[in-house]
Protein backbone atom coordinates (compact mmCIF):
# COMPACT_ATOMS: atom_id res chain seq x y z
CA UNK A 1 0.00 0.00 0.00
CA UNK A 2 1.00 3.66 -0.45
CA UNK A 3 0.97 6.17 2.41
CA UNK A 4 0.85 9.94 2.84
CA UNK A 5 0.17 12.43 5.63
CA UNK A 6 -2.77 14.81 5.79
CA UNK A 7 -2.48 18.44 6.84
CA UNK A 8 -3.50 17.25 10.31
CA UNK A 9 -0.48 14.91 10.36
CA UNK A 10 -2.60 11.76 10.02
CA UNK A 11 -0.87 9.01 8.04
CA UNK A 12 -3.28 7.39 5.59
CA UNK A 13 -2.54 4.11 3.79
CA UNK A 14 -4.31 3.61 0.46
CA UNK A 15 -4.36 1.51 -2.71
CA UNK A 16 -5.80 1.90 -6.20
CA UNK A 17 -7.18 -0.66 -8.67
CA UNK A 18 -8.26 -0.32 -12.31
CA UNK A 19 -7.65 2.03 -15.22
CA UNK A 20 -6.45 5.52 -14.29
CA UNK A 21 -8.86 7.05 -16.82
CA UNK A 22 -11.96 5.23 -15.49
CA UNK A 23 -14.58 6.89 -13.25
CA UNK A 24 -13.57 6.60 -9.60
CA UNK A 25 -15.34 4.82 -6.75
CA UNK A 26 -13.88 5.57 -3.31
CA UNK A 27 -14.59 2.75 -0.84
CA UNK A 28 -14.80 3.63 2.86
CA UNK A 29 -14.54 0.70 5.28
CA UNK A 30 -16.55 0.05 8.44
CA UNK A 31 -15.74 -0.08 12.13
CA UNK A 32 -12.34 -1.43 13.10
CA UNK A 33 -11.60 -3.12 9.79
CA UNK A 34 -8.59 -2.46 7.52
CA UNK A 35 -9.21 -1.82 3.82
CA UNK A 36 -8.09 -5.37 2.98
CA UNK A 37 -11.43 -6.45 4.51
CA UNK A 38 -13.09 -5.33 1.26
CA UNK A 39 -13.75 -8.64 -0.50
CA UNK A 40 -11.52 -9.05 -3.56
CA UNK A 41 -14.57 -10.22 -5.48
CA UNK A 42 -16.22 -6.83 -4.92
CA UNK A 43 -13.19 -4.85 -6.11
CA UNK A 44 -12.58 -7.13 -9.11
CA UNK A 45 -16.21 -6.91 -10.22
CA UNK A 46 -16.24 -3.11 -9.91
CA UNK A 47 -13.04 -2.90 -11.98
CA UNK A 48 -14.62 -5.20 -14.62
CA UNK A 49 -17.63 -2.89 -14.64
CA UNK A 50 -15.32 -0.07 -15.76
CA UNK A 51 -14.34 1.70 -12.55
CA UNK A 52 -11.13 2.82 -10.89
CA UNK A 53 -11.43 1.68 -7.29
CA UNK A 54 -9.67 3.50 -4.45
CA UNK A 55 -9.47 1.95 -0.97
CA UNK A 56 -7.82 3.26 2.19
CA UNK A 57 -7.39 2.50 5.88
CA UNK A 58 -9.38 4.84 8.13
CA UNK A 59 -7.49 6.42 11.02
CA UNK A 60 -7.29 3.85 13.83
CA UNK A 61 -7.26 0.91 11.42
CA UNK A 62 -4.84 -0.98 9.20
CA UNK A 63 -1.60 0.85 8.43
CA UNK A 64 -3.00 4.34 9.04
CA UNK A 65 -2.30 6.48 12.12
CA UNK A 66 -3.43 5.17 15.50
CA UNK A 67 -4.58 7.95 17.83
CA UNK A 68 -2.69 7.91 21.15
CA UNK A 69 -5.73 8.14 23.45
CA UNK A 70 -6.35 5.04 25.61
CA UNK A 71 -10.01 4.23 26.07
CA UNK A 72 -11.80 1.47 27.94
CA UNK A 73 -14.93 -0.61 27.47
CA UNK A 74 -16.85 1.14 30.23
CA UNK A 75 -16.22 4.53 28.61
CA UNK A 76 -17.75 3.20 25.41
CA UNK A 77 -20.65 1.58 27.26
CA UNK A 78 -21.32 4.86 29.07
CA UNK A 79 -21.27 6.73 25.77
CA UNK A 80 -23.84 4.32 24.31
CA UNK A 81 -26.12 4.88 27.31
CA UNK A 82 -25.73 8.67 26.99
CA UNK A 83 -26.61 8.41 23.28
CA UNK A 84 -29.78 6.48 24.08
CA UNK A 85 -30.64 9.22 26.60
CA UNK A 86 -30.03 11.81 23.84
CA UNK A 87 -27.11 13.38 25.67
CA UNK A 88 -24.04 14.63 23.79
CA UNK A 89 -20.66 12.97 24.20
CA UNK A 90 -17.07 13.79 23.28
CA UNK A 91 -14.87 11.54 21.17
CA UNK A 92 -11.19 11.56 20.29
CA UNK A 93 -12.29 12.68 16.81
CA UNK A 94 -15.51 12.76 14.80
CA UNK A 95 -17.01 11.41 11.60
CA UNK A 96 -16.34 14.87 10.19
CA UNK A 97 -12.62 14.37 10.80
CA UNK A 98 -12.79 10.98 9.09
CA UNK A 99 -14.66 12.55 6.17
CA UNK A 100 -11.78 15.04 5.83
CA UNK A 101 -9.38 12.06 5.69
CA UNK A 102 -11.45 10.67 2.80
CA UNK A 103 -11.21 13.95 0.91
CA UNK A 104 -7.46 14.00 1.57
CA UNK A 105 -7.17 10.67 -0.27
CA UNK A 106 -8.94 12.17 -3.30
CA UNK A 107 -6.70 15.24 -3.12
CA UNK A 108 -3.58 13.05 -2.98
CA UNK A 109 -4.67 11.31 -6.19
CA UNK A 110 -5.81 14.57 -7.86
CA UNK A 111 -9.36 13.27 -8.12
CA UNK A 112 -11.86 16.12 -8.33
CA UNK A 113 -15.05 14.05 -8.09
CA UNK A 114 -15.79 10.45 -7.22
CA UNK A 115 -18.60 8.08 -6.41
CA UNK A 116 -18.43 7.55 -2.64
CA UNK A 117 -19.34 4.07 -1.39
CA UNK A 118 -19.27 3.30 2.30
CA UNK A 119 -20.23 0.29 4.38
CA UNK A 120 -21.62 0.56 7.93
CA UNK A 121 -19.52 3.25 9.70
CA UNK A 122 -17.90 3.88 6.32
CA UNK A 123 -21.30 4.77 4.89
CA UNK A 124 -21.84 7.21 7.75
CA UNK A 125 -18.54 8.83 6.79
CA UNK A 126 -19.65 8.80 3.13
CA UNK A 127 -22.88 10.56 4.10
CA UNK A 128 -20.87 13.27 5.87
CA UNK A 129 -18.65 13.65 2.81
CA UNK A 130 -21.78 14.08 0.68
CA UNK A 131 -23.19 16.97 2.71
CA UNK A 132 -19.92 18.68 3.65
CA UNK A 133 -18.15 18.34 0.28
CA UNK A 134 -20.98 18.16 -2.29
CA UNK A 135 -18.76 19.36 -5.14
CA UNK A 136 -16.55 16.27 -4.71
CA UNK A 137 -19.36 13.69 -4.85
CA UNK A 138 -20.65 12.34 -8.16
CA UNK A 139 -22.99 9.97 -6.30
CA UNK A 140 -23.39 8.29 -2.93
CA UNK A 141 -23.80 4.58 -2.19
CA UNK A 142 -24.72 3.98 1.46
CA UNK A 143 -24.54 0.28 2.39
CA UNK A 144 -25.93 -1.23 5.66
CA UNK A 145 -25.80 2.07 7.53
CA UNK A 146 -27.86 4.53 9.57
CA UNK A 147 -28.57 8.20 10.24
CA UNK A 148 -27.34 8.29 13.83
CA UNK A 149 -30.91 8.18 15.14
CA UNK A 150 -30.74 5.75 18.10
CA UNK A 151 -34.45 4.91 17.78
CA UNK A 152 -33.93 3.22 14.41
CA UNK A 153 -30.24 2.29 14.58
CA UNK A 154 -30.14 0.07 17.67
CA UNK A 155 -29.45 -3.54 16.73
CA UNK A 156 -29.78 -6.82 18.60
CA UNK A 157 -27.86 -7.11 21.86
CA UNK A 158 -25.95 -10.20 20.69
CA UNK A 159 -24.71 -8.37 17.58
CA UNK A 160 -23.60 -5.35 19.61
CA UNK A 161 -21.89 -7.59 22.17
CA UNK A 162 -20.06 -9.43 19.39
CA UNK A 163 -18.83 -6.18 17.87
CA UNK A 164 -17.48 -4.92 21.19
CA UNK A 165 -15.72 -8.17 22.13
CA UNK A 166 -11.96 -8.62 21.85
CA UNK A 167 -9.61 -11.46 20.87
CA UNK A 168 -8.17 -13.72 23.56
CA UNK A 169 -4.64 -12.67 22.56
CA UNK A 170 -2.81 -11.00 19.67
CA UNK A 171 -1.91 -14.15 17.74
CA UNK A 172 -3.13 -14.68 14.18
CA UNK A 173 -5.09 -17.74 15.31
CA UNK A 174 -6.88 -15.81 18.06
CA UNK A 175 -7.60 -12.94 15.68
CA UNK A 176 -9.09 -15.31 13.13
CA UNK A 177 -11.32 -16.84 15.80
CA UNK A 178 -12.30 -13.32 16.92
CA UNK A 179 -13.35 -12.29 13.40
CA UNK A 180 -15.27 -15.52 12.90
CA UNK A 181 -17.13 -14.82 16.15
CA UNK A 182 -17.98 -11.27 15.03
CA UNK A 183 -19.26 -12.32 11.62
CA UNK A 184 -21.29 -15.15 13.14
CA UNK A 185 -22.99 -12.52 15.33
CA UNK A 186 -23.60 -9.90 12.63
CA UNK A 187 -23.39 -11.76 9.31
CA UNK A 188 -25.86 -13.11 6.78
CA UNK A 189 -27.78 -16.20 8.01
CA UNK A 190 -26.31 -19.39 6.59
CA UNK A 191 -23.55 -17.58 4.71
CA UNK A 192 -20.09 -16.42 5.64
CA UNK A 193 -16.75 -15.18 4.43
CA UNK A 194 -14.34 -17.96 3.52
CA UNK A 195 -11.65 -19.03 5.98
CA UNK A 196 -9.09 -17.68 3.50
CA UNK A 197 -10.69 -14.22 3.48
CA UNK A 198 -10.86 -14.07 7.27
CA UNK A 199 -7.29 -15.34 7.62
CA UNK A 200 -6.00 -12.58 5.31
CA UNK A 201 -7.74 -9.85 7.31
CA UNK A 202 -6.64 -11.40 10.62
CA UNK A 203 -3.00 -11.48 9.54
CA UNK A 204 -3.15 -7.85 8.43
CA UNK A 205 -4.65 -6.79 11.76
CA UNK A 206 -2.01 -8.72 13.74
CA UNK A 207 0.77 -7.25 11.58
CA UNK A 208 -0.37 -3.77 12.58
CA UNK A 209 -0.53 -4.64 16.29
CA UNK A 210 -4.31 -4.72 16.65
CA UNK A 211 -5.79 -3.11 19.75
CA UNK A 212 -9.54 -3.18 20.39
CA UNK A 213 -9.35 0.46 21.54
CA UNK A 214 -8.99 1.41 17.86
CA UNK A 215 -12.57 0.24 17.32
CA UNK A 216 -13.68 1.91 20.54
CA UNK A 217 -12.36 5.28 19.36
CA UNK A 218 -14.07 4.88 15.99
CA UNK A 219 -17.33 4.00 17.73
CA UNK A 220 -17.01 7.12 19.88
CA UNK A 221 -16.57 9.13 16.67
CA UNK A 222 -19.94 7.81 15.49
CA UNK A 223 -21.63 8.59 18.80
CA UNK A 224 -19.98 12.03 19.09
CA UNK A 225 -21.35 13.03 15.68
CA UNK A 226 -24.86 12.35 16.95
CA UNK A 227 -28.08 12.23 14.96
CA UNK A 228 -27.31 13.37 11.39
CA UNK A 229 -30.91 13.24 10.15
CA UNK A 230 -31.19 16.97 9.42
CA UNK A 231 -27.90 16.95 7.52
CA UNK A 232 -28.93 13.95 5.41
CA UNK A 233 -31.78 16.08 4.05
CA UNK A 234 -29.08 18.44 2.66
CA UNK A 235 -27.48 15.78 0.45
CA UNK A 236 -27.90 16.69 -3.20
CA UNK A 237 -25.92 13.81 -4.71
CA UNK A 238 -28.01 10.99 -6.19
CA UNK A 239 -27.91 8.17 -3.67
CA UNK A 240 -28.34 4.42 -3.71
CA UNK A 241 -29.14 2.99 -0.27
CA UNK A 242 -28.48 -0.75 0.11
CA UNK A 243 -29.49 -2.68 3.20
CA UNK A 244 -29.88 -6.31 4.20
CA UNK A 245 -33.28 -7.55 5.27
CA UNK A 246 -31.66 -9.67 8.00
CA UNK A 247 -29.15 -7.13 9.37
CA UNK A 248 -28.90 -7.73 13.15
CA UNK A 249 -26.52 -4.85 13.90
CA UNK A 250 -28.18 -1.96 12.06
CA UNK A 251 -31.81 -2.97 11.42
CA UNK A 252 -33.46 -2.57 8.03
CA UNK A 253 -35.48 0.32 9.51
CA UNK A 254 -32.21 2.28 9.82
CA UNK A 255 -31.48 1.94 6.10
CA UNK A 256 -35.06 2.76 5.17
CA UNK A 257 -34.81 5.94 7.24
CA UNK A 258 -31.60 6.95 5.42
CA UNK A 259 -33.37 6.48 2.08
CA UNK A 260 -36.34 8.58 3.24
CA UNK A 261 -34.13 11.40 4.48
CA UNK A 262 -31.87 11.77 1.42
CA UNK A 263 -33.91 13.66 -1.19
CA UNK A 264 -32.63 12.00 -4.38
CA UNK A 265 -32.25 8.38 -3.28
CA UNK A 266 -33.28 4.87 -4.24
CA UNK A 267 -33.58 1.93 -1.84
CA UNK A 268 -32.36 -1.61 -2.53
CA UNK A 269 -33.32 -4.24 0.05
CA UNK A 270 -31.33 -7.46 -0.20
CA UNK A 271 -33.06 -10.60 1.09
CA UNK A 272 -31.12 -12.86 3.48
CA UNK A 273 -28.33 -10.28 3.81
CA UNK A 274 -26.93 -9.47 7.25
CA UNK A 275 -24.17 -7.04 8.16
CA UNK A 276 -21.54 -8.40 5.77
CA UNK A 277 -20.76 -8.95 2.09
CA UNK A 278 -20.51 -12.65 1.27
CA UNK A 279 -20.07 -13.60 -2.41
CA UNK A 280 -23.77 -14.16 -3.14
CA UNK A 281 -24.59 -10.64 -1.94
CA UNK A 282 -21.75 -9.09 -3.94
CA UNK A 283 -23.12 -10.71 -7.09
CA UNK A 284 -26.48 -9.05 -6.38
CA UNK A 285 -25.35 -5.56 -5.45
CA UNK A 286 -22.45 -4.86 -7.85
CA UNK A 287 -24.69 -4.65 -10.95
CA UNK A 288 -26.94 -2.20 -9.09
CA UNK A 289 -23.96 -0.13 -7.97
CA UNK A 290 -22.48 -0.08 -11.48
CA UNK A 291 -25.80 0.93 -13.04
CA UNK A 292 -26.21 3.72 -10.50
CA UNK A 293 -22.68 5.08 -10.95
CA UNK A 294 -22.68 4.91 -14.74
CA UNK A 295 -25.95 6.86 -14.73
CA UNK A 296 -24.26 9.69 -12.80
CA UNK A 297 -20.85 10.24 -14.38
CA UNK A 298 -17.95 11.82 -12.44
Amino acid sequence: MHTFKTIDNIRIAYDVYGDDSAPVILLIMGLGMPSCAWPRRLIEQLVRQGFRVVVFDNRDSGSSTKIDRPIGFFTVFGAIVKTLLKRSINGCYSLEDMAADSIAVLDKLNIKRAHILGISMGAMIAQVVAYLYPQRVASLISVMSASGNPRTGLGKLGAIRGLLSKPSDNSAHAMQAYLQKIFKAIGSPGQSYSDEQIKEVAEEMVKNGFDVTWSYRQLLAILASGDRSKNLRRIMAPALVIHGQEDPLLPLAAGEEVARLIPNSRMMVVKAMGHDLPDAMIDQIVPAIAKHCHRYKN
Side-chain angles (χ1 to χ4, degrees), residues 145-217:
S145 196
S147 68
N149 176 4
R151 289 176 297 176
T152 57
L154 186 64
K156 295 179 180 177
L157 183 60
I160 297 170
R161 188 188 300 118
L163 195 68
L164 295 178
S165 65
K166 58 183 180 180
S168 57
D169 58 57
N170 283 337
S171 68
H173 178 76
M175 186 62 68
Q176 191 168 347
Y178 165 69
L179 293 177
Q180 287 169 333
K181 177 182 177 181
I182 288 177
F183 288 117
K184 183 177 181 180
I186 70 174
S188 301
Q191 300 191 60
S192 180
Y193 295 122
S194 69
D195 289 343
E196 182 182 351
Q197 286 175 294
I198 290 178
K199 181 181 178 183
E200 180 183 351
V201 176
E203 289 176 347
E204 178 69 15
M205 293 171 78
V206 169
K207 183 183 78 175
N208 287 293
F210 175 78
D211 188 322
V212 73
T213 61
W214 303 351
S215 296
Y216 290 173
R217 287 192 292 267

Side-chain angles (χ1 to χ4, degrees), residues 247-262:
D247 192 327
L249 185 64
L250 291 174
L252 176 58
E256 290 174 332
E257 181 179 54
V258 169
R260 285 196 305 270
L261 290 169
I262 299 176

Side-chain angles (χ1 to χ4, degrees), residues 24 52 103-113 136:
V24 176
R52 184 186 185 198
I103 292 298
V105 174
L106 297 183
D107 288 344
K108 173 65 178 177
L109 294 168
N110 295 314
I111 297 168
K112 292 182 179 179
R113 279 166 61 83
R136 307 299 296 273

Side-chain angles (χ1 to χ4, degrees), residues 8 28 58-59 89 91-104 121 124-133 147 218 220-229 231-232 234:
D8 296 325
I28 309 179
N58 287 309
R59 60 173 70 190
I89 67 164
C92 305
Y93 47 85
S94 65
L95 292 181
E96 288 75 14
D97 294 318
M98 300 179 85
D101 293 343
S102 307
I103 292 298
M121 177 193 74
M124 300 176 194
I125 297 168
Q127 293 163 11
V128 176
V129 171
Y131 62 71
L132 287 185
Y133 308 93
S147 68
Q218 289 185 349
L220 280 186
I222 295 172
L223 300 178
S225 293
D227 188 342
R228 304 178 311 282
S229 297
N231 285 323
L232 293 192
R234 296 167 43 201

Side-chain angles (χ1 to χ4, degrees), residues 44-56:
E44 289 168 356
Q45 287 197 18
L46 288 173
V47 169
R48 282 201 295 270
Q49 291 278 0
F51 296 100
R52 184 186 185 198
V53 179
V54 179
V55 302
F56 70 101

